[in-house]
């Protein structure tokens, strides 16, 4: 418990406090009026307005497109269902810059639609909205569909036997059970899109800017740190509010529901309507999720003989001090370090949280752990930048800075994955081991570890994918001579010229392949697990 | 005494789950704690094992206070209600777990595992997965595992709780025989009186965290300490009566009582065997309201015109039909004053 608390105090609480101080303290005196000053500026108000409405629109669009898919995945059994489920999840672990470049390749200047019909969306808000759906489709399908699959269909049948029509039974039985999950998923999507950075940075152009992008702009282009700090506080408050509502809906979702094994509730679609629904979902997935990635790969191969890939190994391209391909190696090193940190800190925190006698204080820490996930990467990066640059802790020159920031974002994933499994370990199994002579440490090694080993691997995989694709925090603190993959992609995209564009596509493709591979390995581990507990 | 509890008390959420319990278990003795669920018997075992700290009082093993001694250093064994075998280990590794924790070398361990599995009637099962075991086999493995570190005291929590009846009856005899042979000191808890009486040298009946009665199975069976114990043992015919000489005035009329029965207001137990059915015109007139087949006899439920219902035991061929009118006479030898 002590280590996770210290970790969060130093690498999260302190940087945040530093931001607060930077934003509100002028010449040593607190100036709370600064908040009002900043948010009443017309351009800032415009940013706030855009951030909110695009998040609302993205959430609505995602629900509209993904809820039918949640139903299809939960209730229909069809060939290729497992593969399709994995495909749907891939975008979620993809780095935002990959999605950004994929949509650029699809709807941007000289994009596929531009070439076919002369349609360009990259200067419109539609590109952003579609990219947000691309990302968060999986959130809805997994959260809602996961629960839907476990709802006992016999409950609905019981309502039918009592005289309810199919629609009526669905409305009265299934919908109420599902509503909290839908609300939770919607809030998650809202949170992710509200704090969207990479996508808007790449697709938004000069016209559209979210709060997150504006914070970045104020810091790295305008150098107005105090305005950035105030904006960070505004974002912090908004995210905090969303998380509180989310925690509340999750608690409601955990209320007594009769759940059954998800494997037993799906069946073949029946009738033209159900087949049409299935087909519609398949087409949506193909157009929205698969097509952008396919176009991305094709664009990266536009130059003859893997030209763009070969260009990556050139160090005199001018964009960087090193060959872009070195970013692959840098990224992997950072990701491994970040994964190690996240797994150690996250499992210690999960172990402390899983104890049945965990007090209120410890459970409060649970919610706190989720904060970095929502509080946005840019905040973390910015906080690191202004808090860890002077004694007692000066990490500016240290390579560990980047993995630390990435680990901070990865820890919530580790905790989320480990906690349910640790909670599921029967406390009496531990007691049985103790009575047989095992000391507390040996109990953990002999009983807990074998049971959670797989979850630990899954958690590590998640942390790895997250840190590999992390962009918002890394872009602040990565050193120019040592960019990570996403940073390199973004920098290539910001330069003119076909070669830079092509190289960005090629790097994105590499990044996508690595992340997708990590995810597919995870999916295997996950399905294996079901038979064991 | 190998184990002594000295006013052992456990309070959970303001309620005394274990309320000033004094209990001793001598070496080689098999003691069975009997009580309904919620009477605190599992808490008693957990307190002795060191899994549940005492609110006050003491637990002594070999005369030494165990306060502050953690579970893994107490040297007692506990077999859990639902066995709690380690799911990711095979049978042999489950049994070998205790010796391994105590640093017994591998060769010795394997030999010990083989011997124990033979002892519990599962020779050669060491490589089997615990998931593939039947309920009875799991119970045997759990027993072997608990015996493996040679605990000075073996505790069993509802050892046969989830098994079906015929298996339970067979295993209880096997256990009794095994403990006698090994000279194991045993403290077991169960809610099943048949199990307790078959297994134990001494039976302790618990109620609401306190000990209601302690004695040999025969003593407890013949002379329950109070109405609660009598009813818990399955006796329904318990009434208040006034004893004068060798007769008692009860809601069922005059009852004969054995010589030397204490005089005055008493709680009387009439064993079903002491309720004799006679033709309707003799004795206490009753109507038969239900019959329950009990294998060796039929339990007949009777409703007198006045007073609480009665239970009688009668031979299969003599059992009257439901709704029949019968007379009832009482046998003084089967009537006992409880207080």
């Amino acid at each position: 418990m002590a280590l996770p608390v210290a970790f969060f105090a130093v690498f999260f609480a302190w940087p945040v406090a530093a931001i607060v101080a930077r934003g509100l303290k002028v010449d040593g005196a607190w100036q709370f009026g600064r908040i009002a000053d900043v948010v009443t500026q017309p351009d800032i108000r415009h940013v706030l307005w855009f951030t909110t409405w695009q998040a609302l629109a993205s959430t609505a669009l995602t629900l509209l497109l993904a809820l039918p898919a949640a139903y299809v995945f939960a209730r229909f059994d069809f060939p290729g269902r497992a593969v399709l489920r994995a495909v749907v999840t891939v975008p979620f672990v993809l780095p935002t810059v990959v999605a950004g470049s994929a949509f650029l390749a699809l709807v941007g200047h000289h994009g596929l639609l531009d070439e076919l019909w002369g349609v360009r969306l990259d200067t419109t808000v539609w590109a952003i909205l579609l990219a947000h759906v691309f990302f968060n489709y999986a959130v809805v399908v997994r959260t809602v569909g996961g629960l839907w699959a476990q709802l006992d269909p016999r409950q609905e049948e019981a309502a039918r036997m009592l005289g309810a029509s199919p629609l009526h039974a669905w409305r009265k039985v299934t919908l109420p059970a599902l509503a909290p999950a839908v609300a939770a998923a919607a809030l998650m999507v809202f949170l992710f899109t509200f704090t969207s950075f990479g996508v808007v940075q790449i697709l938004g152009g000069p016209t559209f800017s979210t709060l997150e992008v504006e914070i970045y702009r104020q810091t790295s282009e305008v150098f107005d740190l105090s305005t950035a700090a105030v904006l960070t506080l505004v974002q912090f408050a908004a995210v905090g509010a969303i998380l509180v509502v989310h925690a509340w809906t999750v608690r409601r979702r955990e209320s007594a529901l009769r759940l059954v094994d998800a494997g037993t509730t799906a069946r073949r679609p029946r009738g033209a309507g159900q087949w049409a629904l299935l087909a519609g979902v398949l087409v949506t997935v193909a157009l929205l999720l698969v097509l952008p990635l396919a176009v991305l790969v094709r664009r990266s191969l536009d130059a003859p003989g893997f030209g763009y890939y070969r260009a990556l190994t050139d160090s005199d391209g001018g964009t960087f001090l090193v060959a872009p391909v070195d970013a692959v190696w840098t990224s992997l090193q950072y990701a491994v370090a970040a994964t190690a940190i996240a797994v150690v800190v996250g499992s210690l925190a999960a172990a402390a949280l899983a104890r049945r006698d965990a007090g209120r204080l410890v459970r409060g820490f649970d919610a706190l752990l989720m904060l970095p996930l929502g509080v946005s990467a840019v905040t973390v990066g910015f906080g690191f930048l202004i808090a860890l640059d002077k004694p007692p802790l000066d990490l500016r020159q240290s390579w560990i800075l980047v993995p630390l920031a990435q680990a901070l974002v990865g820890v919530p994933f580790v905790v989320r994955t480990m906690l349910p499994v640790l909670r599921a370990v029967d406390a009496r199994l531990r007691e049985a081991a103790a009575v047989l002579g095992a000391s507390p440490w040996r109990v953990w090694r002999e009983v807990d570890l074998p049971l959670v080993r797989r979850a630990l691997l899954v958690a590590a995989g998640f942390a790895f994918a997250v840190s590999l694709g992390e962009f918002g925090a890394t872009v602040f603190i990565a050193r120019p001579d040592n960019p990570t993959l996403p940073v390199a992609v973004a920098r290539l995209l910001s330069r003119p010229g076909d070669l830079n564009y092509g190289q960005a596509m090629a790097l994105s493709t590499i990044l996508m392949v690595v992340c997708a591979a990590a995810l597919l390995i995870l999916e295997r581990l996950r399905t294996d697990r079901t038979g064991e507990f | 005494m190998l184990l002594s509890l000295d006013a052992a008390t456990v309070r959970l959420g303001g309620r005394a789950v274990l309320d000033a319990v004094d209990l001793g278990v001598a070496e080689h003795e098999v003691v069975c704690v009997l009580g309904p669920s919620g009477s605190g018997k599992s808490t008693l075992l957990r307190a002795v094992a060191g899994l549940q700290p005492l609110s006050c009082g003491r637990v002594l093993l070999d005369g030494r206070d165990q306060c502050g001694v953690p579970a893994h250093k107490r040297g007692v064994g506990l077999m859990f209600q639902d066995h709690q075998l380690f799911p990711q280990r095979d049978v042999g590794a489950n049994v070998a777990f205790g010796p391994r924790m105590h640093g017994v070398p591998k060769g010795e361990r394997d030999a010990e595992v083989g011997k124990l599995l033979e002892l519990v009637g599962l020779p050669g099962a060491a490589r089997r997965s615990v998931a593939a075991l039947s309920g009875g086999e799991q119970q045997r493995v759990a027993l072997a595992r608990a015996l493996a570190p040679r605990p000075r005291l073996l505790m069993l929590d509802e050892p046969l709780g989830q098994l079906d009846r015929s298996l339970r009856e067979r295993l209880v005899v096997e256990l009794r025989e095994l403990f006698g042979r090994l000279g194991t000191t045993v403290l077991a808890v169960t809610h099943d009186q048949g199990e307790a009486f078959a297994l134990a040298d001494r039976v302790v009946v618990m109620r609401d965290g306190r000990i209601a009665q302690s004695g040999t199975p025969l003593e407890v069976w013949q002379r329950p300490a109070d109405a609660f114990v009598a009813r818990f043992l399955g006796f329904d015919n318990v009434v208040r009566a006034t004893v004068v000489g060798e007769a008692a005035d009860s809601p069922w009329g005059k009852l004969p009582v054995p010589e030397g029965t204490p005089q005055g207001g008493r709680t009387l137990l009439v064993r079903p065997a002491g309720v004799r059915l006679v033709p309707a015109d003799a004795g206490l007139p009753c109507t038969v309201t239900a019959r329950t087949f009990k294998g060796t006899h039929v339990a007949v439920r009777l409703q007198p015109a006045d007073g609480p219902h009665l239970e009688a035991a009668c031979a299969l061929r003599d059992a009257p039909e439901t709704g029949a009118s019968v007379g009832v006479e009482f046998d003084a030898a089967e009537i006992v004053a409880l207080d």
Side-chain angles (χ1 to χ4, degrees), chain A residues 233-251:
Chain A
L233 286 179
V234 172
Q235 166 133 329
F236 207 92
V239 166
I242 299 170
L243 279 180
V244 166
V245 179
H246 181 258
W248 180 70
T249 51
V250 167
R251 251 204 315 283

Side-chain angles (χ1 to χ4, degrees), chain A residues 21 51 70 100 132 170 241 245 263 284 370 410 479 490 509 523 530:
Chain A
T51 306
H132 282 164
W170 184 83
V245 179
T284 312
M370 294 302 288
R479 282 186 290 167
T509 306
E523 281 290 311
T530 46

Side-chain angles (χ1 to χ4, degrees), chain A residues 161-176:
Chain A
M161 294 315 292
L162 294 168
S165 69
L167 188 68
H168 197 201
W170 184 83
R171 251 185 45 217
K172 292 286 174 197
V173 177
T174 307
L175 190 60

Side-chain angles (χ1 to χ4, degrees), chain A residues 76-165:
Chain A
F76 290 165
D77 188 19
F78 52 90
R81 180 168 162 226
V83 177
L84 198 62
R85 205 204 302 262
V87 167
V88 165
T89 317
V90 167
F92 182 66
V93 297
L94 282 188
T96 47
V97 291
V98 173
S101 7
F103 273 84
L104 212 52
L106 182 64
V107 301
H109 184 54
H110 290 310
L112 185 68
L113 298 188
D114 195 10
E115 281 173 5
L116 288 178
W117 300 298
V119 176
R120 277 185 61 184
L121 296 174
D122 63 332
T123 47
T124 72
V125 73
W126 282 104
I128 295 175
L129 295 188
L130 288 178
H132 282 164
V133 175
F134 171 84
F135 263 115
N136 295 302
Y137 199 77
V139 176
V140 176
V141 169
R142 291 236 150 189
T143 321
V144 180
L147 180 68
W148 209 332
Q150 288 177 51
L151 286 183
D152 196 340
R154 281 173 301 179
Q155 296 254 305
E156 228 174 272
E157 286 167 8
R160 296 288 307 283
M161 294 315 292
L162 294 168
S165 69

Side-chain angles (χ1 to χ4, degrees), chain A residues 426 428-440 442 445-448 450-451 532, chain B residues 46 51 71-72 76-78 80 82 84-89 97-98 100-102 145 149:
Chain A
D426 196 329
R428 279 169 313 158
L429 218 49
R430 301 191 183 106
E431 293 178 355
V435 170
L436 289 168
S439 63
R442 288 211 77 171
R445 224 187 70 196
E446 302 280 347
V447 178
D448 290 76
L451 291 173
E532 215 178 279
Chain B
R46 294 173 57 82
L51 298 171
H72 65 281
V76 299
L78 173 58
F80 284 80
D82 33 16
Q84 298 296 337
L85 298 177
F86 301 123
Q88 75 282 18
R89 295 192 162 82
F97 189 90
R100 200 155 62 80
M101 292 303 117
H102 290 91
R145 187 179 72 171

Side-chain angles (χ1 to χ4, degrees), chain A residues 110 115 295-309 498 501-502 505:
Chain A
H110 290 310
E115 281 173 5
V295 172
L296 170 73
V297 175
R298 225 211 70 197
R299 279 277 176 260
S300 76
L301 297 171
D302 264 356
F306 295 99
Y308 292 142
Y309 288 89
D498 272 352
Y501 181 81
M505 295 296 147

